[in-house]
Amino acid sequence: MKIKPFVLGSVSTNSYIVYDHDGTKDAIMIDAPDGNSSVIDFLKDNDLNLKYVLLTHGHFDHVLGLGNVTKEFKNVEIFIDKEDEWLVKNKGEGNREILSEDFPCFLSIYEKDLASLPSNYSFYEDEIASFKVIRTPGHTEGSVCLYNKKENVIFTGDTIFASSYGRVDLKGGNYNKILSSLKYVLSTTKDDAIILPGHGERSTIKREKAFYGLP
């Protein structure tokens, strides 16, 4: 498996292209921030077919690029947890609510990207494309981590950062739930697994367990 990281959009959101994982030219995109033309170029330059977009959660900074992606890759299938559907359906009505309440100055800036959000989404079961789907509510109700045991890598979205975790003060956030989710992931994943978060630098399970004082 090869993983190409990108830092995209107005709040420096991490996105990842996963490829060479199944012996085909199919690729997977983890999260779809705005400003993702470099991702599209990478896929085209390497003759990759984007099969899936796997969303770690539905916040605007992780989904605003979906319109651009679906315009270029008509058959791509987008996965999100059912609990976060409210954030993306009807042209992002949930994200519009959050932006109106907490970031009103950005609502008009993101209007074009919100208006281009696709209407069709698939919902996670327990596995997708060799990834185990670990439901980790707290940052949002539908936050997930995506763990590939064979490759020993876990995409944690905004549930686990290097020495930190995602904010819980937006609608759908819950402090107790994110701590419970964080502890569950750290205690059930191999120590040497690589953490690839939604923002900031990568880490490892072992490093984060030590930071939080977990055995």
Side-chain angles (χ1 to χ4, degrees), residues 6-8 12-16 30-31 33 62 196-201:
F6 296 85
V7 181
L8 305 170
S12 300
T13 303
N14 293 335
S15 179
Y16 305 89
I30 310 293
D31 288 329
H62 292 253
L196 296 176
H199 298 274
E201 64 183 18

Short mmCIF file of all heavy atoms in Angstrom, two decimals, residues 6-8 12-16 30-31 33 62 196-201:
data_model
loop_
_atom_site.label_atom_id
_atom_site.label_comp_id
_atom_site.label_asym_id
_atom_site.label_seq_id
_atom_site.Cartn_x
_atom_site.Cartn_y
_atom_site.Cartn_z
N PHE A 6 -1.72 14.93 1.61
CA PHE A 6 -1.90 16.30 1.15
C PHE A 6 -2.40 17.13 2.32
O PHE A 6 -3.17 16.65 3.15
CB PHE A 6 -2.93 16.37 0.01
CG PHE A 6 -2.54 15.66 -1.25
CD1 PHE A 6 -2.77 14.29 -1.38
CD2 PHE A 6 -1.94 16.34 -2.29
CE1 PHE A 6 -2.41 13.62 -2.54
CE2 PHE A 6 -1.58 15.68 -3.46
CZ PHE A 6 -1.81 14.31 -3.59
N VAL A 7 -1.98 18.39 2.37
CA VAL A 7 -2.52 19.34 3.34
C VAL A 7 -3.27 20.39 2.53
O VAL A 7 -2.68 21.10 1.71
CB VAL A 7 -1.42 19.99 4.19
CG1 VAL A 7 -2.03 20.96 5.20
CG2 VAL A 7 -0.59 18.93 4.90
N LEU A 8 -4.59 20.48 2.77
CA LEU A 8 -5.45 21.23 1.86
C LEU A 8 -6.40 22.17 2.60
O LEU A 8 -6.69 21.99 3.78
CB LEU A 8 -6.30 20.25 1.03
CG LEU A 8 -5.56 19.17 0.24
CD1 LEU A 8 -6.55 18.16 -0.30
CD2 LEU A 8 -4.75 19.79 -0.89
N SER A 12 -6.04 23.87 6.75
CA SER A 12 -4.94 22.89 6.68
C SER A 12 -5.40 21.50 7.10
O SER A 12 -4.90 20.93 8.07
CB SER A 12 -3.76 23.36 7.54
OG SER A 12 -3.26 24.60 7.10
N THR A 13 -6.35 20.97 6.36
CA THR A 13 -6.88 19.64 6.63
C THR A 13 -6.07 18.60 5.88
O THR A 13 -5.74 18.78 4.71
CB THR A 13 -8.35 19.56 6.18
OG1 THR A 13 -9.09 20.57 6.86
CG2 THR A 13 -8.95 18.20 6.50
N ASN A 14 -5.75 17.50 6.55
CA ASN A 14 -5.04 16.41 5.90
C ASN A 14 -5.99 15.56 5.08
O ASN A 14 -7.07 15.19 5.53
CB ASN A 14 -4.36 15.52 6.94
CG ASN A 14 -3.23 16.20 7.67
OD1 ASN A 14 -2.62 17.15 7.16
ND2 ASN A 14 -2.94 15.77 8.88
N SER A 15 -5.55 15.23 3.87
CA SER A 15 -6.25 14.28 3.02
C SER A 15 -5.20 13.29 2.53
O SER A 15 -4.01 13.63 2.42
CB SER A 15 -6.91 14.99 1.84
OG SER A 15 -7.58 14.08 0.98
N TYR A 16 -5.62 12.07 2.24
CA TYR A 16 -4.68 11.03 1.86
C TYR A 16 -5.22 10.25 0.66
O TYR A 16 -6.41 9.94 0.61
CB TYR A 16 -4.45 10.05 3.02
CG TYR A 16 -4.02 10.69 4.31
CD1 TYR A 16 -4.96 11.13 5.24
CD2 TYR A 16 -2.67 10.87 4.61
CE1 TYR A 16 -4.58 11.72 6.43
CE2 TYR A 16 -2.27 11.46 5.81
CZ TYR A 16 -3.23 11.88 6.72
OH TYR A 16 -2.84 12.46 7.90
N ILE A 30 -9.03 9.59 1.47
CA ILE A 30 -9.47 9.77 2.84
C ILE A 30 -9.72 11.26 3.07
O ILE A 30 -8.79 12.05 3.07
CB ILE A 30 -8.44 9.25 3.87
CG1 ILE A 30 -7.97 7.82 3.54
CG2 ILE A 30 -9.00 9.35 5.28
CD1 ILE A 30 -9.04 6.76 3.68
N ASP A 31 -10.98 11.62 3.21
CA ASP A 31 -11.44 13.00 3.38
C ASP A 31 -11.19 13.84 2.13
O ASP A 31 -10.26 13.59 1.36
CB ASP A 31 -10.83 13.65 4.62
CG ASP A 31 -11.43 13.07 5.90
OD1 ASP A 31 -12.60 12.66 5.89
OD2 ASP A 31 -10.72 13.02 6.93
N PRO A 33 -11.10 17.73 1.50
CA PRO A 33 -11.14 19.15 1.80
C PRO A 33 -11.26 20.00 0.53
O PRO A 33 -11.07 19.52 -0.59
CB PRO A 33 -9.80 19.41 2.50
CG PRO A 33 -9.26 18.05 2.85
CD PRO A 33 -9.80 17.12 1.81
N HIS A 62 -13.68 18.84 5.87
CA HIS A 62 -13.34 17.50 5.37
C HIS A 62 -14.19 17.09 4.17
O HIS A 62 -13.96 16.04 3.59
CB HIS A 62 -13.50 16.47 6.48
CG HIS A 62 -12.49 16.63 7.58
ND1 HIS A 62 -11.42 15.77 7.76
CD2 HIS A 62 -12.39 17.56 8.56
CE1 HIS A 62 -10.71 16.17 8.80
NE2 HIS A 62 -11.27 17.26 9.30
N LEU A 196 -2.46 8.48 11.22
CA LEU A 196 -2.51 9.55 10.22
C LEU A 196 -3.78 10.36 10.51
O LEU A 196 -4.89 9.94 10.21
CB LEU A 196 -2.54 8.95 8.81
CG LEU A 196 -1.29 8.17 8.42
CD1 LEU A 196 -1.45 7.54 7.04
CD2 LEU A 196 -0.06 9.08 8.43
N PRO A 197 -3.61 11.54 11.13
CA PRO A 197 -4.75 12.30 11.63
C PRO A 197 -5.33 13.26 10.59
O PRO A 197 -4.76 13.46 9.50
CB PRO A 197 -4.14 13.08 12.79
CG PRO A 197 -2.74 13.35 12.33
CD PRO A 197 -2.32 12.13 11.53
N GLY A 198 -6.45 13.89 10.96
CA GLY A 198 -7.10 14.85 10.08
C GLY A 198 -6.42 16.20 10.03
O GLY A 198 -6.66 16.99 9.11
N HIS A 199 -5.59 16.49 11.01
CA HIS A 199 -4.82 17.74 11.04
C HIS A 199 -3.49 17.46 11.72
O HIS A 199 -3.41 16.64 12.64
CB HIS A 199 -5.56 18.83 11.82
CG HIS A 199 -6.88 19.22 11.24
ND1 HIS A 199 -7.02 20.15 10.25
CD2 HIS A 199 -8.13 18.76 11.52
CE1 HIS A 199 -8.31 20.28 9.94
NE2 HIS A 199 -9.00 19.43 10.70
N GLY A 200 -2.46 18.16 11.30
CA GLY A 200 -1.18 18.06 11.97
C GLY A 200 -0.35 16.86 11.54
O GLY A 200 -0.65 16.17 10.57
N GLU A 201 0.69 16.60 12.33
CA GLU A 201 1.67 15.58 11.97
C GLU A 201 1.22 14.19 12.39
O GLU A 201 0.35 14.03 13.25
CB GLU A 201 3.01 15.91 12.63
CG GLU A 201 2.98 15.88 14.15
CD GLU A 201 4.28 16.28 14.79
OE1 GLU A 201 5.10 16.91 14.10
OE2 GLU A 201 4.48 15.96 15.98
#
